[in-house]
């Protein structure tokens, strides 16, 4: 009895996107085969279950061999073992480093260490993401962090250069690195309504305005240890923020600031009476947040403080987002009319970023 077997020989590595997604999602070969059968692939192709099993195993072997190259994406581009078209290389890299929103929210701001990695079992159970996928995503975060944490220059550019990610994904990783380095608290119950996108938006503003790299303050000494320009907050800036305390400590300045804001917003704000009543408390909250940022714990609690001192009071008085935007704009701008205040540039650097963050954090 003879059997006929069709053989195709080629040197281009075939990548099945659907199987790659199943591998990235952490499914075993058997589970992946079952999911492929359920998708109707046997009916579409006329293949048998045995052929599908072999095809899936072959793809999984290829992905396992490619994984060590994906850990350092430039190596994938320059290796000669796998003949993969550039467009497919880009797809492999981008999808390997893509992460789940539910997973990143669980680890955002935590130290990327063995201690956090021990929690991945619980995170997998909570999110429904396979443990294998959780480990891949965590290891990706840790790998990127270790490569770029002490590099000079733009955090986003460094990530793109060393991991060949798209601009959007590189910006997301920059936010993850920035939050891990500064250990911002994101897990408290009152912050659970915020998405990763909300935090990433704020991270980008802070990187652009509150870090050493933001103001081009690169050290003149080539042997200086201050290498991570976009990763660390500008300590001198944080120290200077204590100067803003005069805005609420000086009763005359506080009263004048309130008068200027109220005059400008009278008849324009739907919650004017609530704003007028609570102005001093809101102002003290925003200024005191700035004055406390010299302490690491208060830096970590930045988002907790912003929600407690501003978002929650405004939400309890039912401020619409449009009124919040109008108030913050006038609150920030009116300081320039305070004759006794001498820290305008410092105020603008602080409030320019804070205003953007507060508007993103405020969900009316």
């Amino acid at each position: 009895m003879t059997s006929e077997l069709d053989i195709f020989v080629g040197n281009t590595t075939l990548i099945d996107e659907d199987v790659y997604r199943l591998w990235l999602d952490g499914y075993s070969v058997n589970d992946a085969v079952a999911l492929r059968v359920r998708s109707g692939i046997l009916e579409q192709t006329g293949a048998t279950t045995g052929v599908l099993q072999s095809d899936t195993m072959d793809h999984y072997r290829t992905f396992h061999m490619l994984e060590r190259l994906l850990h350092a994406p430039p190596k994938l581009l320059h290796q000669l073992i796998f003949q993969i078209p550039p467009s497919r290389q880009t797809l492999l890299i981008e999808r390997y480093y893509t992460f789940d929103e539910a997973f990143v929210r669980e680890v955002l701001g935590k130290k990327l260490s063995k201690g956090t990695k021990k929690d991945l079992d619980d995170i997998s159970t909570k999110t429904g993401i396979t443990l294998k996928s959780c480990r891949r995503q965590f290891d990706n975060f840790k790998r990127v962090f270790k490569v770029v944490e002490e590099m000079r220059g733009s955090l986003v550019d460094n990530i793109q250069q060393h991991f060949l990610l798209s601009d959007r994904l590189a910006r997301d990783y920059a936010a993850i690195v920035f939050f891990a380095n500064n250990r911002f608290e994101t897990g408290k119950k009152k912050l659970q309504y915020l998405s990763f996108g909300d935090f990433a938006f704020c991270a980008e503003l802070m990187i652009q305005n509150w870090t050493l790299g933001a103001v081009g303050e690169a050290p003149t000494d080539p042997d200086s240890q201050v290498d991570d320009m976009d990763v660390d907050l500008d300590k001198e800036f944080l120290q200077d923020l204590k100067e803003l305390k005069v805005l609420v400590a000086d009763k005359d300045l506080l009263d004048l600031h309130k008068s200027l804001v109220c005059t400008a917003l009278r008849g324009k704000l739907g919650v004017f009476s609530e704003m007028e009543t609570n102005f001093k408390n809101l102002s003290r909250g925003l200024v005191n947040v700035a004055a406390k940022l010299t302490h690491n714990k208060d830096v970590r609690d930045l988002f907790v403080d912003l929600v407690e001192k501003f978002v929650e009071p405004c939400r309890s008085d039912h401020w619409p987002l449009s009124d919040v935007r109008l108030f913050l704009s006038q609150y920030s701008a009116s300081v320039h009319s305070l004759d006794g205040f001498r820290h305008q540039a410092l105020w603008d650097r602080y409030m320019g970023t804070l205003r953007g963050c507060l508007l993103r954090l405020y969900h009316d």
Side-chain angles (χ1 to χ4, degrees):
M1 181 176 176
T2 61
S3 299
E4 292 184 1
L5 183 64
D6 292 330
I7 299 176
F8 173 78
V9 179
N11 65 350
T12 300
T13 303
L14 300 177
I15 304 294
D16 186 306
E17 293 183 35
D18 293 331
V19 181
Y20 187 48
R21 188 190 71 251
L22 293 170
W23 180 73
L24 290 175
D25 287 344
Y27 291 106
S28 67
V29 170
N30 288 338
D31 288 342
V33 169
L35 288 167
R36 295 184 78 188
V37 169
R38 205 175 302 158
S39 73
I41 193 171
L42 296 183
E43 292 78 10
Q44 295 165 18
T45 62
T48 65
T49 304
V51 169
L52 188 65
Q53 179 93 11
S54 297
D55 177 70
T56 305
M57 287 181 65
D58 185 52
H59 279 297
Y60 267 48
R61 276 193 294 268
T62 300
F63 300 147
H64 283 302
M65 289 187 287
L66 286 171
E67 189 164 22
R68 64 181 179 81
L69 298 172
L70 289 167
H71 290 172
K75 290 183 179 180
L76 178 64
L77 269 60
H78 299 125
Q79 56 80 37
L80 301 175
I81 299 173
F82 301 97
Q83 302 301 307
I84 305 173
S87 61
R88 280 306 205 207
Q89 292 177 342
T90 300
L91 179 144
L92 286 170
I93 295 166
E94 191 78 2
R95 293 197 180 174
Y96 188 79
Y97 283 91
T98 296
F99 52 83
D100 292 297
E101 162 92 17
F103 177 76
V104 73
R105 273 300 279 115
E106 292 297 320
V107 301
L108 187 66
K110 293 183 179 178
K111 192 173 183 180
L112 300 175
S113 63
K114 290 181 181 178
T116 303
K117 195 168 185 177
K118 290 178 182 177
D119 297 333
L120 295 185
D121 280 318
D122 293 336
I123 293 174
S124 174
T125 301
K126 180 179 178 179
T127 61
I129 299 167
T130 66
L131 180 58
K132 190 172 182 180
S133 181
C134 287
R135 285 174 176 158
R136 173 182 61 82
Q137 294 178 59
F138 180 84
D139 288 342
N140 285 346
F141 296 164
K142 186 175 180 179
R143 185 180 309 111
V144 173
F145 181 88
K146 284 195 169 294
V147 168
V148 303
E149 65 171 322
E150 294 185 356
M151 285 185 174
R152 294 177 183 271
S154 164
L155 187 53
V156 174
D157 290 348
N158 287 335
I159 291 171
Q160 285 187 298
Q161 179 183 347
H162 288 84
F163 293 93
L164 309 179
L165 305 183
S166 66
D167 181 71
R168 182 63 267 161
L169 190 55
R171 290 180 184 280
D172 286 343
Y173 268 88
I176 292 166
V177 169
F178 184 70
F179 266 65
N181 184 67
N182 293 287
R183 305 286 301 281
F184 291 111
E185 172 62 59
T186 67
K188 291 284 180 67
K189 185 177 180 180
K190 64 179 57 192
L191 301 179
Q192 289 306 303
Y193 76 98
L194 296 169
S195 68
F196 168 73
D198 294 329
F199 287 117
F201 177 85
C202 295
E204 191 162 349
L205 285 179
M206 286 189 281
I207 290 170
Q208 289 171 352
N209 298 292
W210 287 6
T211 62
L212 281 171
V215 289
E217 294 179 3
T220 54
D221 179 2
D223 296 323
S224 170
Q225 296 300 305
V226 188
D227 291 335
D228 36 358
M229 306 300 295
D230 270 2
V231 178
D232 285 329
L233 292 167
D234 181 353
K235 295 288 195 294
E236 186 176 340
F237 164 66
L238 298 184
Q239 287 287 340
D240 289 345
L241 287 176
K242 291 187 293 186
E243 303 293 342
L244 302 182
K245 189 89 172 180
V246 67
L247 286 171
V248 293
D250 185 314
K251 185 179 183 304
D252 292 337
L253 272 182
L254 180 58
D255 288 341
L256 181 55
H257 191 190
K258 176 181 178 180
S259 176
L260 289 169
V261 173
C262 290
T263 300
L265 294 181
R266 194 178 303 275
K268 298 178 182 177
L269 216 60
V271 290
F272 181 84
S273 61
E274 291 86 348
M275 181 277 293
E276 188 176 31
T277 300
N278 293 323
F279 178 90
K280 292 184 178 181
N281 286 334
L282 293 174
S283 188
R284 287 191 185 100
L286 296 177
V287 171
N288 286 336
V289 165
K292 293 195 305 178
L293 291 179
T294 51
H295 307 291
N296 288 337
K297 182 186 183 303
D298 291 308
V299 170
R300 288 199 294 271
D301 287 341
L302 174 63
F303 293 97
V304 176
D305 289 340
L306 292 180
V307 169
E308 285 183 351
K309 305 298 185 186
F310 186 85
V311 174
E312 288 179 346
C314 291
R315 192 185 286 154
S316 68
D317 281 340
H318 308 292
W319 287 42
L321 181 59
S322 57
D323 279 5
V324 174
R325 181 178 290 108
L326 196 57
F327 169 76
L328 286 173
S329 178
Q330 193 58 49
Y331 175 79
S332 302
S334 61
V335 166
H336 289 270
S337 299
L338 298 176
D339 292 336
F341 187 63
R342 296 288 179 264
H343 308 286
Q344 310 289 0
L346 180 66
W347 173 254
D348 288 343
R349 187 179 175 189
Y350 172 66
M351 275 305 298
T353 294
L354 204 72
R355 184 169 69 247
C357 288
L358 287 170
L359 290 173
R360 186 65 186 240
L361 302 181
Y362 193 84
H363 295 189
D364 60 345

